[in-house]
């Protein structure tokens, strides 16, 4: 099966993520009257996005979806049990099974609460303007090939089909995207950047790109070079 992935992100890009985090922290400091030299302190405190984490009901089913369809690699499977972990999560007597999946240099973390197991599912219906909405996007080199993989595996789509941004929006014209669900209704996206749009490494013309090997990236950008 062709790979869908090489780079992962989560809303728009690493630069935007760092800017958002910096703005949020600056807002807190301003409220406390401590804005002076905040940039100097932030340079040491805010470094990078370590993982993207999804809480899941069935970690085996979710891991299978990510590895078999999206071509992630399973690199760790472990449990965390104990009072301190429960205090960290704000969940009394938490027992968690955690799976790490790698795509290039990025890690996606799947967390299943073995105890207590009664976490609420994602509400149905849910929409992109709901406040709990978040998603990870997967950058592909060939939208037609990547979309076929979704169809061949009967993946539940949010979008009716891949959408192309029209020339009336010159800054994004030619970008293609489609949103879909994983088995537990987490929102995911395929996105294609034509030459001259987005980061150069996300484009089909990037050196070493192969049309038969679409790769992943996404909205909170986390970079990777290999599949």
């Amino acid at each position: 099966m062709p790979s869908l992935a090489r780079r992962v992100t989560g809303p728009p890009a690493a630069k935007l993520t760092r800017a958002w985090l910096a703005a949020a922290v600056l807002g807190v400091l301003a409220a406390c009257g401590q804005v002076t030299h905040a940039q100097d302190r932030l340079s040491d405190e805010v470094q990078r996005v370590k993982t993207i984490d999804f809480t899941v009901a069935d970690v085996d089913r979710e891991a299978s979806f990510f590895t078999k369809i999206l071509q992630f690699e399973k690199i760790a499977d472990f449990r965390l049990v104990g009072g301190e972990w429960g205090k960290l999560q704000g969940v009394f007597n938490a027992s968690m099974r955690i799976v790490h999946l790698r795509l290039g240099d990025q890690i996606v973390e799947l967390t299943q609460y073995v105890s207590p197991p009664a976490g609420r599912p994602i509400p149905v219906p849910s929409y992109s303007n709901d406040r709990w909405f978040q998603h990870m996007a997967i950058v592909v080199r060939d939208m037609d090939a990547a979309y076929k993989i979704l169809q061949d595996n009967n993946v539940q789509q949010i979008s009716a089909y891949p959408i192309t941004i029209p020339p009336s929006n010159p800054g994004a014209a030619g970008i293609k995207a489609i949103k879909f669900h994983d088995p537990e209704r987490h929102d995911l996206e395929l996105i294609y950047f034509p030459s001259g749009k987005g980061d150069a490494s996300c484009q089909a013309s990037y050196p070493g790109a192969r049309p038969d090997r679409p790769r992943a990236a996404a909205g909170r950008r986390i970079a990777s070079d290999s599949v």
Side-chain angles (χ1 to χ4, degrees), residues 3-225:
S3 169
L4 280 182
R6 215 186 199 175
R7 171 183 289 250
V8 178
T9 63
K15 288 189 275 189
L16 294 179
T17 301
R18 290 195 293 269
W20 183 88
L21 288 169
V25 176
L26 283 171
V28 173
L29 292 173
C32 300
Q34 299 177 10
V35 178
T36 308
H37 305 306
Q39 293 271 6
D40 295 337
R41 292 194 294 275
L42 284 174
S43 64
D44 295 328
E45 295 168 7
V46 180
Q47 299 177 10
R48 64 189 178 94
V49 176
K50 184 176 185 294
T51 62
I52 297 173
D53 192 351
F54 291 100
T55 299
V56 302
D58 185 334
V59 73
D60 289 319
R61 177 178 59 184
E62 287 288 289
S64 177
F65 178 85
F66 276 89
T67 56
K68 293 181 178 179
I69 298 176
L70 303 181
Q71 298 297 297
F72 283 72
E73 176 191 4
K74 182 177 177 179
I75 60 170
D77 188 337
F78 58 95
R79 291 181 180 256
L80 295 176
V81 181
E84 294 306 312
W85 290 109
K87 291 177 184 177
L88 175 65
Q89 301 294 340
V91 178
F92 178 71
N93 198 32
S95 172
M96 296 170 285
R97 181 180 167 201
I98 297 175
V99 169
H100 283 176
L101 305 171
R102 181 168 61 200
L103 187 58
D105 294 332
Q106 290 97 47
I107 304 297
V108 170
E109 182 173 277
L110 305 178
T111 300
Q112 177 181 343
Y113 282 83
V114 179
S115 174
R120 292 172 291 181
I122 296 172
V124 178
S126 288
Y127 302 102
S128 296
N129 60 342
D130 291 320
R131 283 177 289 177
W132 57 79
F133 173 81
Q134 60 177 331
H135 79 288
M136 179 178 69
I138 299 169
V139 175
V140 297
R141 294 194 181 102
D142 184 329
M143 177 59 78
D144 292 337
Y147 181 43
K148 186 175 186 304
I149 291 174
L150 299 188
Q151 292 182 306
D152 289 346
N153 287 277
N154 296 314
V155 173
Q156 184 182 25
Q157 297 176 202
I158 299 171
S159 312
Y161 48 81
I163 304 299
T164 302
I165 305 300
S168 58
N169 184 346
I175 292 175
K176 300 177 182 181
I178 183 171
K179 292 185 177 180
F180 59 100
H181 289 304
D182 73 4
E184 294 189 9
R185 296 186 61 81
H186 298 104
D187 297 284
L188 302 170
E189 178 181 354
L190 300 183
I191 187 166
Y192 162 82
F193 292 96
S195 180
K197 297 295 192 303
D199 188 278
S201 62
C202 292
Q203 297 166 10
S205 58
Y206 187 67
R210 289 173 48 188
D212 61 326
R213 296 255 316 176
R215 74 191 183 309
R220 231 180 253 134
R221 192 174 82 183
I222 312 168
S224 142
D225 292 322

